[in-house]
Amino acid sequence: MTESAIKPRSPGGFWTEFCQHPVAVAAACVVIAVTLLAIFAPLIAPQNPYDLAGLALRDARRPPGFVGIGGYTHILGTDSQGRDLFSAILYGLRISLQMGLLAGAVAFSIGALVGSAAAYIGGRVEAFVMRLVDLQLSFPAILLAFVVAALLGQGKFQLIIALTFSQYAYFVRTAHGAASAECNKDYVEAALSIPMSGWFVVTRHILPNTLPPLIVVATVQVASAISLEATLSFLGVGLPPTEPSLGMLISGGFQYLLSGRYWISIYPGIALIVLVMAINIVGDQVREQLNPRLKK
Amino acid sequence: MVAFIVRRMWQALLVIIVMSMLVFYGVFVIGNPIDVLISPDATQEIRQQIITQYGLDLPIWQQYLHFMNALIHGDLGRSFVYNMPVVELIASRFPATMELATMAILLASAIGIPLGIYAGYRPNGWPSKAIMAASILGFSVPTFWIGLMMIMVFAVELGVLPAGGRGEAVSIFGIPWSFPTATGLQHLILPAANLSLFKMSMMIRLAASGTREIMLTDTIKFARAAGIDEFTILRRHVLRLISIPLVTVFGLELGSTIAFAVVTETIFSWPGLGKLIIDSITSLDRPVMIAYLMMVSLLFITINLAVDLAYAVLDPRMRQGDGK
């Protein structure tokens, strides 16, 4: 198990090393900047894209730089309903980030708890849970998410279930790997002999020690949840069209691509890629620093 | 070894049965197929007749048993929408998806593995950094968006490749294949490249990290000390050791490529299984959904089994003992 070998070092050393990699630092800045843009979208965006009264169909599908009825320049053009694309992207980022983080957080909690509990309990329960997880991991996440989303129908809540369902297994396996290494250590035995309850030992002692590898998995999983959400919305089984995420925006522009109106699909796509890529680069660097097998 | 195979087969069978129950129940809770099947102005008798004909009035466990009984006899029911046997419907779409997936995997391995080994062999050179950066790009950019970009660049702007469809197909042993014809190949390039990008990034990263770890081991130090040249070391030692995770990925990816094809097929209007399942979900065509999901699970279970057995052949440690 690679994960079990991962050890946190002092937080100070971690940041110093992280700062020596300019690409990773730049990526981290991008993640922070995009998150801030998404949080403050209502203050930054020139238009509220959900306010149907503020939209004019006359302004639909205009190229970047067009000055619309609202009196401001649509720097990225407008979409098929006359929405300012820049505003729509900011609001879309908000939804995409929200979905990714929520699904990631739920999957993280379930995975951490189930994984470390399985490692602690051991025996048949452990074998059964891990067999189930292995089985699920052998199915591609996109297929699971697609099927669950299709079965449950459109909606934010349904989408989070679908994303969580397709991702929790990664967390279970990682937590299990890290926790089974911890379970054999003397401090666990010492804690149990005091005696402390099993639940207390799992949540207070084993869980915190499984966090570093879980955090690495979490960065990658949040990025993949965001991109999964976009894909599902693109296929029409994700979010309802009333609250367009980035995937919906791209999907809405697809039909205009062939007639040369490239901006409707391209700009939301670029926003999505920049976000997902920045998260992945940060995650990659963190993993690199936490993997002792590469430190020789 | 025999005990290991028998136990894995038994497990696989159990999983298939559990899977079929889950799929059947899952699909059962989605929507009411009666509304799709029967027009609202049908008389009460016709309505009742159709419900009885399809067995929709029975309790779910009875419907499941009927379904399983038919399944064992090779009958997956008739599509509500196409009004033809599901087996025929899937068989008619399968070659297109298979062709696309195989092409994508071949592309991904042929390009990804050599690049990955190189990147792991010289991790600090700029070409390796570029390869690794490109692989992050391949991971991060959603498949569907790359597909759109490909259509925009190659079909709309340059006009050199078709934007969708399958092109001319020739029949080999009664199955239509499109790769031997010129138009068929033209239609195949973009979707196959699109589908392969994600796998390619994965192959690059796996091969690179595997190579990097192996290059630090004593095996390599001793091989070098013995005077074996670098290329032979890469081919004989590194490639062999990284082949274990690669075979897993290769096997699993063939399945996931078929699953991912849902996205690529939608974008490029490729007439394969992916488009069929999307259409069947929107039209609540239950027999097709169940059959597709069952087929995909069966495929994955078979692939897992094959990968486990391949492991046993490749890795002597697994052959001894009980294999786990």
Side-chain angles (χ1 to χ4, degrees):
Chain A
M1 279 268 105
T2 0
E3 290 90 347
S4 60
I6 293 174
K7 282 281 165 298
R9 274 162 303 170
S10 67
F14 182 85
W15 284 113
T16 322
E17 196 184 340
F18 191 86
C19 292
Q20 283 161 0
H21 294 82
V23 177
V25 173
C29 293
V30 169
V31 175
I32 294 167
V34 170
T35 312
L36 288 178
L37 275 177
I39 293 172
F40 296 109
L43 300 177
I44 305 162
Q47 184 194 56
N48 178 1
Y50 303 152
D51 178 16
L52 293 176
L55 305 179
L57 273 180
R58 212 146 56 89
D59 287 352
R61 300 187 292 280
R62 298 294 188 175
F66 175 79
V67 181
I69 204 161
Y72 45 82
T73 314
H74 298 294
I75 49 169
L76 299 179
T78 60
D79 77 351
S80 60
Q81 281 153 43
R83 271 193 290 247
D84 174 45
L85 212 49
F86 177 63
S87 314
I89 289 174
L90 290 181
Y91 277 80
L93 275 174
R94 223 171 136 92
I95 296 177
S96 295
L97 264 176
Q98 201 185 342
M99 292 292 113
L101 288 174
L102 274 175
V106 177
F108 187 107
S109 324
I110 296 178
L113 206 61
V114 172
S116 39
Y120 172 77
I121 297 166
R124 274 176 179 268
V125 176
E126 181 183 22
F128 177 76
V129 169
M130 293 324 288
R131 195 76 206 134
L132 202 73
V133 163
D134 280 344
L135 180 76
Q136 215 197 316
L137 283 176
S138 67
F139 286 82
I142 182 146
L143 189 72
L144 288 172
F146 177 71
V147 169
V148 176
L151 292 177
L152 294 175
Q154 289 184 334
K156 274 188 175 177
F157 183 65
Q158 287 92 326
L159 193 69
I160 290 176
I161 295 181
L163 292 175
T164 308
F165 186 75
S166 65
Q167 298 197 310
Y168 84 96
Y170 295 93
F171 290 100
V172 175
R173 183 185 262 184
T174 312
H176 174 259
S180 28
E182 292 302 322
C183 282
N184 295 328
K185 289 191 179 153
D186 293 341
Y187 78 91
V188 173
E189 209 174 309
L192 285 172
S193 64
I194 286 179
M196 288 179 180
S197 73
W199 169 255
F200 190 85
V201 172
V202 168
T203 52
R204 288 298 179 78
H205 293 288
I206 298 178
L207 257 183
N209 280 308
T210 62
L211 281 182
L214 277 176
I215 287 166
V216 174
V217 175
T219 53
V220 178
Q221 290 302 316
V222 166
S224 96
I226 290 173
S227 131
L228 208 55
E229 180 275 317
T231 307
L232 293 179
S233 296
F234 178 79
L235 291 173
V237 291
L239 293 168
T242 44
E243 283 185 78
S245 69
L246 292 174
M248 292 293 297
L249 289 173
I250 298 169
S251 153
F254 182 30
Q255 49 182 313
Y256 302 107
L257 199 66
L258 292 176
S259 56
R261 295 191 179 92
Y262 63 90
W263 59 90
I264 309 177
S265 271
I266 292 223
Y267 292 128
I270 291 175
L272 179 67
I273 291 166
V274 167
L275 174 63
V276 173
M277 224 172 109
I279 300 178
N280 276 340
I281 293 173
V282 173
D284 221 45
Q285 182 61 39
V286 173
R287 177 173 41 212
E288 190 101 332
Q289 283 178 223
L290 291 178
N291 187 354
R293 277 213 261 173
L294 295 175
K295 307 262 164 216
K296 285 209 176 175
Chain B
M1 186 76 179
V2 175
F4 170 64
I5 294 174
V6 169
R7 211 185 46 198
R8 285 294 287 111
M9 298 274 243
W10 167 240
Q11 273 178 353
L13 188 70
L14 208 69
V15 171
I16 290 171
I17 293 171
V18 172
M19 222 45 208
S20 73
M21 287 178 181
L22 285 180
V23 165
F24 198 83
Y25 187 73
V27 174
F28 188 84
V29 292
I30 179 183
N32 185 353
I34 298 171
D35 300 337
V36 185
L37 275 170
I38 308 165
S39 81
D41 27 82
T43 62
Q44 202 58 42
E45 289 89 72
I46 295 180
R47 212 180 141 80
Q48 206 49 53
Q49 190 197 333
I50 296 177
I51 291 177
T52 331
Q53 186 193 330
Y54 283 98
L56 294 171
D57 52 346
L58 301 171
I60 180 149
W61 62 269
Q62 251 177 2
Q63 288 193 36
Y64 172 73
L65 286 184
H66 282 197
F67 168 77
M68 284 309 276
N69 185 35
L71 183 70
I72 292 165
H73 296 93
D75 177 14
L76 282 161
R78 291 177 82 82
S79 157
F80 294 162
V81 174
Y82 295 88
N83 196 26
M84 65 189 280
V86 173
V87 179
E88 273 177 42
L89 190 62
I90 286 187
S92 71
R93 300 288 192 98
F94 191 67
T97 297
M98 208 50 214
E99 185 173 59
L100 186 63
T102 315
M103 197 72 174
I105 290 271
L106 287 179
L107 268 177
S109 325
I111 302 174
I113 296 174
L115 284 181
I117 292 182
Y118 180 82
Y121 181 63
R122 294 204 185 291
N124 296 319
W126 68 263
S128 304
K129 294 235 160 94
I131 292 170
M132 294 315 278
S135 78
I136 294 192
L137 196 72
F139 248 120
S140 308
V141 185
T143 314
F144 73 95
W145 198 75
I146 299 197
L148 298 187
M149 291 306 100
M150 285 176 158
I151 290 182
M152 202 183 83
V153 173
F154 294 103
V156 180
E157 295 295 322
L158 300 175
V160 286
L161 290 168
R166 199 182 171 197
E168 203 182 323
V170 286
S171 182
I172 300 172
F173 301 122
I175 300 165
W177 298 105
S178 65
F179 68 90
T181 68
T183 57
L185 203 58
Q186 267 185 350
H187 280 86
L188 188 59
I189 294 174
L190 282 188
N194 179 229
L195 195 54
S196 76
L197 278 176
F198 188 83
K199 325 279 152 210
M200 205 185 286
S201 313
M202 201 143 155
M203 297 265 181
I204 289 178
R205 296 185 76 75
L206 270 173
S209 64
T211 307
R212 237 178 118 181
E213 281 181 10
I214 290 163
M215 289 312 285
L216 296 172
T217 58
D218 293 340
T219 318
I220 304 300
K221 277 184 207 140
F222 283 117
R224 279 185 175 149
I228 302 173
D229 69 284
E230 291 291 292
F231 185 74
T232 314
I233 291 180
L234 282 182
R235 194 170 50 87
R236 285 250 300 269
H237 297 285
V238 175
L239 187 60
R240 253 193 118 159
L241 282 167
I242 62 170
S243 69
I244 295 170
L246 281 177
V247 165
T248 321
V249 171
F250 190 91
L252 293 177
E253 286 309 292
L254 188 69
S256 90
T257 311
I258 291 175
F260 259 105
V262 174
V263 180
T264 302
E265 284 179 10
T266 310
I267 300 165
F268 291 95
S269 351
W270 187 262
L273 286 174
K275 260 193 89 56
L276 185 68
I277 179 74
I278 292 262
D279 294 344
S280 74
I281 284 175
T282 40
S283 59
L284 289 182
D285 196 349
R286 258 173 61 187
V288 177
M289 285 165 71
I290 294 178
Y292 175 86
L293 293 177
M294 280 305 294
M295 195 201 75
V296 174
S297 358
L298 198 64
L299 192 74
F300 269 96
I301 290 159
T302 318
I303 290 171
N304 277 347
L305 192 64
V307 167
D308 272 4
L309 298 183
Y311 259 27
V313 176
L314 278 173
D315 191 340
R317 278 172 298 179
M318 297 249 184
R319 229 174 299 157
Q320 298 150 0
D322 64 355
K324 193 74 208 181

